[in-house]
Structure formats: C-alpha cells, structure tokens
C-alpha cells in the first residue's frame, strides 16, 4: 500500500513526539488495512499507544507495514476474528520471529495480544503469545506498559513474571495444562511458579466515557465512517450470547456530556456516523440522540446503527434512519418460537416483532433483516415451523417491506450459560429445511455456513492441544478464507491419539463439573451464576438439554 495512504487519514488525536529512548512498538491487525482500520478497538488502542512519548509506534497489516526505525521490543496484535490466526502466524514468520513463544530468545520482541477472541478463550492460541491482555484496555494497557518500563532491561522470564502481576495480564508460559491422557479430558491449568496467580480476572472498564473513532479514512471498509460506542454490553443477557456475558455490566455514557460531544468531533471531519453497541437503542437517553440528529443542521448526516432490539424499533427511529440515508434495519429474533425465545431469555414477543415491521414500513424503510439461529439447545422441529409462520406473518402485516432472514448455527461460547452445550449435529438439515420452505414463500433466506460453525466451535471450545490442528490446517493452504470443515476433519484424523476427536470439541455435551479450557480465567460472572442461568433456561421449559431433537415434521 502506498505511503500516500497517510494523506487520506484524518486523525482525531494528536500523536506524541517519541522521546529519545522510546520503546519501539509494532501494533498489528492480522488482516488487510481496510478491515483493521474499521475496527474501533484497533483504532482506540493504536491511539492510546501513539499518544505516549515513551513509545515509538508503527502499525502493520497483511497488505501494508508502516516504516519503523528499530526492531520492536513489543509486538502487539488485535484479534477480532478466529481465522485471522493464520495471518498472525504469517506476520510473525515474515519478521523471522518463532511462532511459538517457548522458542523465542532475548533477541525477539515480547508478543502480546488482545481483543474479543483472546478474551473469550485464548487457549487455542496460547502458545503463540508471550502475554495476553484480557478484557477492556482503557486502564489495562497503560498499566501493562508502565510495568514493562520497570523491567525493560531485565531478562525475558523476569519480565514475564513481573508483567503477570498486572491484573488482567495472562502469561500462558506461566501455566501448565494437564490431561487425563493425550487424547483425554483436561484436568487442570495451573501455575508453574508462585509468581503467577492461580486465576486471572478479565479487566472491566467502569468509566462513563466509551470509545469513539481516532481516525477517519476513505480506505476503511466502511468508507469515511466515524464510529461512536453508544453502549457496552447488553442488558438482555440471552443465554448463548458472548457479546452480552463477556462484556458485562451494561454501560451507557451520558448523552449530553459524552456521546454528543464525541459525535460533534466526528462531524468536523465526516458526514457519516455509526452508532455501535450490542443494544444501541436501549440507551436510556436514546430518544435524545434521535432528537439531536433531527436538527436541520444534521440533514446531510448519514447515520447507521448496529442491530436494533425489535421492541425499540419505532416509527420515529425508522423515519430518522430514512432521512439520514439508511434504508434498512436489522433486528435479532433468534427464533419464531416464543417458547424457544423464553428458554434463551430473549425477552421479545410476537407482537413486538410485528410492530417492529409495521414501524419500519411506516417510517419509510425499504427493508428489514432478521437474525435467526438454529440448533439452540432445547430446540424442536416445531420451533422451525414457528419461524416460517413468523416470516409469512411479517409479510402480511408489512406488505412491500423487503424481508430477509439471516440464520446461523448455535455455537457454544466461553463464559456463557450454554458453554457446556454442543453444536447440534442436525443443524445443517434445519438450515436446508428453512431454505426450502422460505424459498417457496418468496422470502430471502441467507444462511451462514454450517461448516463455518463447526470450525468456530473447535476454536471457541478449544484447549491448548487445538493449536496442532490450527497449524496443520494452515499447512494445507496459504490462508483460511477457503478453509472447510473438511480441512479440520482431516487434521484431527492425522493427529488421532494426540488430542480428543473433533466431535468432542464440537458436538459433545460437556460435564458441568469438569475443567473447562478457560476455568483459570475469570469472566464477569462466577461459575455458579452461569450454572444458575443454565438451570433456569431448561427447568422453565421442563426440557432435558441432552435430549434428542424430534424427527422432521411434514413439510408446511
């Protein structure tokens, strides 16, 4: 990528002038520049690094590397997508850095990482990192860097032991995993030295100011967008949802003193604003934000929102979006079955969904996309029939509104009440069932790949042994964009006897008393609370989570 790239970046912070003895740091995103620079998390951490005069920071992506004066002492990665691990390993090799931390010497930089993938379950990637920063970076990053300065001239092991004292910093080499057998269950992950804490707690930022873009560029995947984090986490706490459970508690910045000033900084450099968050419209002052964008001076502003909770989609919101160059809206319903929505704690009834469709049409929106899911623990075939009925019902109540159902397969995620459940082996059949019958009804259906969900599950539930699989799959091709579940099945077959089989990671219902790969990492909620929420889900419905799914019904 050309150096002229800098000419198109409009910075919303002032980088510090590095001091003479500044620590050389490379901060990388293991994907293309257009993707990485669209990550709000990457933008914010880069700006925090570049604002420190004791650091000399350069950026790196798979298609572009910022010039740096010295070899880095610290090499950081922001990992937002699981399959970017192959790019991460490529970037290490391009710098002649061993991919495994245990093979690095004093000549190599300390490799650290952060981001949602690593915070949820870092274990499949543990061998690649010297350090992993768990959770929110607002306070953790500065404490980590200050601690590094204190041991900058020490040997590598002394540095790691010292940095492990910072709450939220995880040093994988400081822990030993033990198994019942090479291909048996995990028994424990324990410190190898008293310097390492038995449990590492994810850091949570509890301030009243959240993140906003630090750079705007036409080269971003979302061209010239200025992003504002409107809420963090979600109050709904759907039992499968990593975005809610991993980021608790639900936080909402003040509109007048935080959000509007942030938006106005963005409007100085662009007319495109994106409001981000798992549940943006549940901000208690969201109506005030809508009134702000309704002012005549904001008529030319292009506004986009992350997924909207169905019960908050009003005609006023739809009209505001329409008037600001947004013509569609997305709501997550998960299933057309009220029974199943109650099971997962999705506090949403059929009439709210219908009313959302009416409001979308009345407000001038052209289209509405619904997110659904198959394979949810406790799902029955009759639940899919309710999803078909819901989509047909919405077409009747909002004629002319273009409807799309996007549908994924349930994948268990760490630190959620459904982390013990496996992927439904019949989910692919269910996706085809919906595809067939929605297609007959003329409703656009966009399923996510079932094979992709299998790969996701391997990584989301993986322990340290899964790194062997990841490396084997990487050897099959130059990147993983075209990787299939078949590649993973092949790798598991070739590694038979060295780790459990693929079904153990993907489909098995795990014991609630067993050791999880992430048991030594404390998320926002204690294990007892997760078990309580899990029990409530299934006891409500009088269902056994290990029961078999009912046979496919007659076609409707």
């Amino acid at each position: 990528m050309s150096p002229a790239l800098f000419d198109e970046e409009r910075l919303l912070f002032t980088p510090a002038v590095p001091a003479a003895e500044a620590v050389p740091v490379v901060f990388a995103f293991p994907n293309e520049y257009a993707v990485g620079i669209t990550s709000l998390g990457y933008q914010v951490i880069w700006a925090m690094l570049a604002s420190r005069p004791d650091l000399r920071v350069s950026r790196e992506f798979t298609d572009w590397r910022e010039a740096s004066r010295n070899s880095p002492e610290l090499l950081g990665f922001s990992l937002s997508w699981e399959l970017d691990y192959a790019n991460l390993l490529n970037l290490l090799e391009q710098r002649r850095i061993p991919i495994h931390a245990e093979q690095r010497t004093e000549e190599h930089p300390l490799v650290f990482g952060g981001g949602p993938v690593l915070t949820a379950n870092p274990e499949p990637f543990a061998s690649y990192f010297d350090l992993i920063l768990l959770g929110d970076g607002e306070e953790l990053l500065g404490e980590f860097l200050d601690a590094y300065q204190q041991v900058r001239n020490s040997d590598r092991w002394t540095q790691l032991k010292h940095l492990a004292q910072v709450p939220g910093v995880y040093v994988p080499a400081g822990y030993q995993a033990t198994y019942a057998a090479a291909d048996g269950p995990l028994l424990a992950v324990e410190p190898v030295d008293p310097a390492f804490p038995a449990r590492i707690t994810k850091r949570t930022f509890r301030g009243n100011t959240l993140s906003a873009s630090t750079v705007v560029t036409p080269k971003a995947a979302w061209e010239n967008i200025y992003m504002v984090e409107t809420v963090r986490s979600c109050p709904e706490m759907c039992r499968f949802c990593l975005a809610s459970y991993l980021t608790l508690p639900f936080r909402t910045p003040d509109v007048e003193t935080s959000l509007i000033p942030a938006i106005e900084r963005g409007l100085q450099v662009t007319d495109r604003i994106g409001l981000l968050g798992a549940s943006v419209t549940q901000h208690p002052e969201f109506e005030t934000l809508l009134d702000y964008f309704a002012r005549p001076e904001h008529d030319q502003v292009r506004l986009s929102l992350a997924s909207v909770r169905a019960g908050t989609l009003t005609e006023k919101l739809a009209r505001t979006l329409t008037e600001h160059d947004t013509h569609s809206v997305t709501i997550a319903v998960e299933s057309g079955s009220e029974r199943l929505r109650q099971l997962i704690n999705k506090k949403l009834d059929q009439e709210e969904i219908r009313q959302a469709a009416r409001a979308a049409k009345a407000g001038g929106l052209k289209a509405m996309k619904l997110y659904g899911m198959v394979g949810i623990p406790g799902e029955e075939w009759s639940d899919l029939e309710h999803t078909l009925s819901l989509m047909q019902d919405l077409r009747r109540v909002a004629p002319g509104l273009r409807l799309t159902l996007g549908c994924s397969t349930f994948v268990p995620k760490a630190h959620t009440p459904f982390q013990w459940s496996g992927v439904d082996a019949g989910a692919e059949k269910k996706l085809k069932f919906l595809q067939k019958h929605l297609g007959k009804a003329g409703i656009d259906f966009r399923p996510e790949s079932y094979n992709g969900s299998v790969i996701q599950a391997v990584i989301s539930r993986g322990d340290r042994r899964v790194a062997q699989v990841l490396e084997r799959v990487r050897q099959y091709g130059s990147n993983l964009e075209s990787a299939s579940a078949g590649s993973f099945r092949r790798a598991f077959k070739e590694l038979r006897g060295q780790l459990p089989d693929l079904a153990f990671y993907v489909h098995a219902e795990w014991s609630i008393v067993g050791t999880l790969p992430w048991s030594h990492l404390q998320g926002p909620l204690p294990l007892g609370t997760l078990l309580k929420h899990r029990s409530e889900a299934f006891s409500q419905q009088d269902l056994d989570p290990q029961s078999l799914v009912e046979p496919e019904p007659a076609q409707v």
Side-chain angles (χ1 to χ4, degrees):
M1 186 171 289
S2 167
L5 172 74
F6 286 118
D7 297 334
E8 298 188 80
E9 288 189 335
R10 286 155 289 171
L11 302 187
L12 290 104
F13 74 102
T14 302
V17 177
E21 298 299 318
V23 176
V25 179
V26 169
F27 187 46
F29 192 96
N31 208 306
E32 296 178 351
Y33 172 84
V35 176
I37 208 65
T38 311
S39 164
L40 181 57
Y42 180 82
Q43 286 190 21
V44 170
I45 297 299
W46 165 58
M48 291 175 67
L49 293 168
S51 297
R52 290 180 62 120
D54 59 343
L55 306 179
R56 186 182 300 277
V57 183
S58 57
R59 292 172 288 166
E60 185 168 336
F61 305 88
T62 56
D63 58 348
W64 177 72
R65 177 186 292 183
E66 203 168 14
S68 53
R69 185 182 302 178
N70 307 105
S71 297
E73 292 181 30
L74 297 173
L75 172 56
F77 288 93
S78 177
L79 193 61
S80 296
W81 292 280
E82 292 94 340
L83 294 186
D84 277 349
Y85 82 85
N87 294 330
L88 185 153
L89 300 186
N90 292 341
L91 292 174
L92 289 174
E93 289 182 338
Q94 289 167 16
R95 288 185 168 273
R96 301 183 185 277
I97 298 169
I99 64 172
H100 294 116
E102 64 181 8
Q103 297 172 353
R104 297 176 196 142
T105 69
E106 305 294 335
E107 298 176 357
H108 299 117
L110 290 178
V111 178
F112 71 94
V117 170
L118 295 176
T119 295
N121 177 23
E123 292 306 280
F125 314 105
S127 63
Y128 310 138
F129 291 95
D130 296 294
L131 309 116
I132 295 172
L133 278 55
L134 302 175
D136 299 335
E138 283 91 341
E139 296 166 339
L140 173 55
L141 183 66
E143 294 174 19
F144 163 69
L145 295 168
D146 292 343
Y148 175 74
Q149 290 284 16
Q150 295 167 4
V151 288
R152 182 180 181 184
N153 297 316
S154 301
D155 66 88
R156 197 177 191 87
W157 188 240
T158 299
Q159 289 176 338
L160 293 176
K161 288 197 291 185
H162 181 74
L163 291 167
Q165 307 313 305
V166 178
V169 173
Y170 174 39
V171 178
Y175 299 81
Q176 178 68 45
T178 56
Y179 309 95
D183 58 355
L186 175 68
L187 297 179
V189 181
E190 298 173 314
V192 300
D193 186 291
F196 300 100
R199 289 175 70 81
I200 307 95
T201 300
K202 167 195 173 291
R203 289 293 292 272
T204 299
F205 176 64
R206 298 180 183 274
N208 192 40
T209 301
L210 299 182
S211 301
S213 286
T214 60
V215 58
V216 170
T217 171
K219 298 296 184 181
W222 297 336
E223 180 181 343
N224 286 321
I225 194 166
Y226 176 85
M227 297 171 285
V228 181
E229 187 182 19
T230 310
V231 300
R232 187 171 295 183
S233 194
C234 175
E236 298 303 305
M237 297 177 67
C238 295
R239 302 311 190 206
F240 63 85
C241 185
L242 183 68
S244 178
Y245 274 85
L246 189 65
T247 57
L248 290 169
F250 183 54
R251 282 149 286 172
T252 58
D254 182 80
V255 166
E256 296 292 345
T257 61
S258 180
L259 289 181
I260 288 177
I263 292 167
E264 290 181 342
R265 286 194 297 273
L267 290 175
Q268 294 175 14
V269 297
T270 185
D271 66 353
R272 187 176 183 187
I273 302 294
L275 302 182
L276 304 188
S279 190
V280 169
T281 54
Q282 287 183 274
H283 191 293
E285 300 175 280
F286 189 73
E287 286 290 310
T288 304
L289 269 185
L290 291 183
D291 293 339
Y292 171 81
F293 284 109
R295 296 175 187 173
E297 63 266 30
H298 298 143
D299 284 348
Q300 303 307 310
V301 172
R302 294 180 292 163
L303 178 65
S304 58
L305 265 65
S307 178
V308 173
R309 188 180 185 278
T312 64
L313 178 50
T314 61
E315 183 178 340
K316 177 180 178 180
L317 170 56
R319 188 179 304 109
T320 300
L321 292 173
T322 301
E323 292 171 350
H324 290 86
D325 203 35
T326 290
H327 304 292
S328 66
V329 68
T330 300
I331 63 173
V333 297
E334 316 313 344
S335 173
S337 165
E338 288 209 30
R339 181 195 70 82
L340 200 58
R341 289 200 301 271
Q342 290 172 8
L343 186 150
I344 62 174
N345 201 42
K346 189 81 176 180
K347 298 179 277 289
L348 182 65
D349 62 38
Q350 302 292 83
E351 183 53 33
E352 286 180 293
I353 301 172
R354 294 188 196 98
Q355 184 54 39
R358 295 187 192 102
K361 182 184 179 185
L365 292 171
K366 305 293 185 186
M368 185 169 78
K369 181 176 182 179
L370 294 86
Y371 279 135
M373 184 181 292
V374 298
I376 295 169
E379 182 179 63
E380 300 173 357
W381 276 97
S382 58
D383 296 317
L384 274 68
E385 295 177 329
H386 286 297
T387 297
L388 296 176
S389 297
L390 173 66
M391 296 304 296
Q392 293 167 338
D393 192 24
L394 294 180
R395 190 168 59 177
R396 285 192 294 270
V397 302
L401 183 68
R402 190 168 68 253
L403 296 173
T404 299
L405 177 64
C407 197
S408 63
T409 297
F410 163 78
V411 174
K413 298 293 185 178
H415 308 291
T416 70
F418 284 179
Q419 63 185 356
W420 294 276
S421 298
V423 173
D424 179 4
E428 186 172 24
K429 187 177 181 182
K430 293 176 179 179
L431 290 172
K432 290 178 178 178
F433 174 85
L434 291 175
Q435 176 109 50
K436 177 180 179 180
H437 293 288
L438 288 173
K440 284 182 178 178
I443 295 171
D444 187 17
F445 181 64
R446 299 183 185 179
E448 292 185 10
S449 164
Y450 170 76
N451 284 333
S453 299
V454 169
I455 296 170
Q456 246 191 79
V458 170
I459 297 174
S460 70
R461 298 178 101 192
D463 52 41
R464 295 187 179 191
R465 293 171 292 186
V466 166
Q468 303 170 79
V469 175
L470 301 182
E471 291 162 35
R472 190 68 62 100
V473 171
R474 177 175 172 250
Q475 292 171 6
Y476 301 154
S478 58
N479 63 65
L480 290 187
E481 290 185 5
S482 58
S484 67
S487 300
F488 278 74
R489 292 188 181 97
R490 174 185 168 190
F492 271 98
K493 184 177 180 181
E494 292 175 355
L495 292 165
R496 183 174 296 154
Q498 299 179 50
L499 77 168
D501 61 18
L502 181 140
F504 170 80
Y505 292 105
V506 177
H507 300 300
E509 180 85 13
W510 285 0
S511 168
I512 61 173
V513 297
T515 300
L516 299 168
W518 50 89
S519 287
H520 58 302
L521 309 174
Q522 179 61 57
L525 295 179
L527 183 65
T529 301
L530 297 181
L531 286 168
K532 178 185 176 187
H533 289 182
R534 178 181 184 272
S535 176
E536 288 173 350
F538 296 116
S539 63
Q540 254 182 13
Q541 302 295 325
D542 194 27
L543 287 170
D544 176 2
Q546 298 184 7
S547 64
L548 297 176
V549 177
E550 294 180 1
E552 182 176 355
Q555 295 178 1
V556 296

